[in-house]
Amino acid sequence: MKPIPPEMQLCIDECLRCYQSCTAMAMNHCLEEGGPHVEPNHFRLMMACAEMCRTAAHFMLIGVPHHRHTCADCASICRQCADSCDELDGMDECATMCRRCADACERIAG
């Protein structure tokens, strides 16, 4: 088995952490808080971010060249999600994870 380059492994790890953070925050914080936390645009963006992060990690793990495209899209969605999270109370950790993932994905996307 060919080893995963360290920078790609870092990106995979950041994507999986962001997937976990967005999913957990949406299900365990946003749903409990209600109000603007479950406003459709914000909540859908969190779900899209989580899924895009999972998909980007998966593409890197399976070694397809399309990972550059998924990473570019992932970075864009993560930045949008972070901005949306910034507008709400208690979402700082999620916003931070989204930005870390976006940074890592931008490096891989080239």
Side-chain angles (χ1 to χ4, degrees):
M1 182 170 135
K2 185 177 172 184
I4 297 172
E7 189 168 275
M8 185 176 288
Q9 184 61 57
L10 172 68
C11 188
I12 292 166
D13 294 342
E14 293 293 354
C15 284
L16 293 175
R17 279 191 283 270
C18 192
Y19 164 74
Q20 181 178 358
S21 178
C22 283
T23 302
M25 288 296 288
M27 296 299 130
N28 298 306
H29 177 73
C30 291
L31 286 178
E32 297 297 323
E33 288 291 317
H37 285 81
V38 291
E39 184 272 323
N41 287 337
H42 171 73
F43 201 81
R44 285 185 185 120
L45 185 55
M46 287 191 72
M47 294 292 89
C49 184
E51 186 59 25
M52 194 66 225
C53 289
R54 188 196 65 79
T55 300
H58 186 85
F59 272 47
M60 287 182 277
L61 285 167
I62 64 174
V64 294
H66 298 87
H67 73 272
R68 293 194 191 286
H69 303 293
T70 57
C71 284
D73 288 342
C74 186
S76 176
I77 292 170
C78 282
R79 294 220 183 272
Q80 290 174 34
C81 190
D83 291 344
S84 183
C85 288
D86 282 341
E87 297 176 14
L88 300 170
D89 292 334
M91 301 292 293
D92 294 341
E93 180 181 335
C94 192
T96 297
M97 292 306 299
C98 287
R99 287 191 176 93
R100 286 177 52 177
C101 184
D103 290 345
C105 279
E106 286 168 351
R107 286 190 296 272
I108 292 298

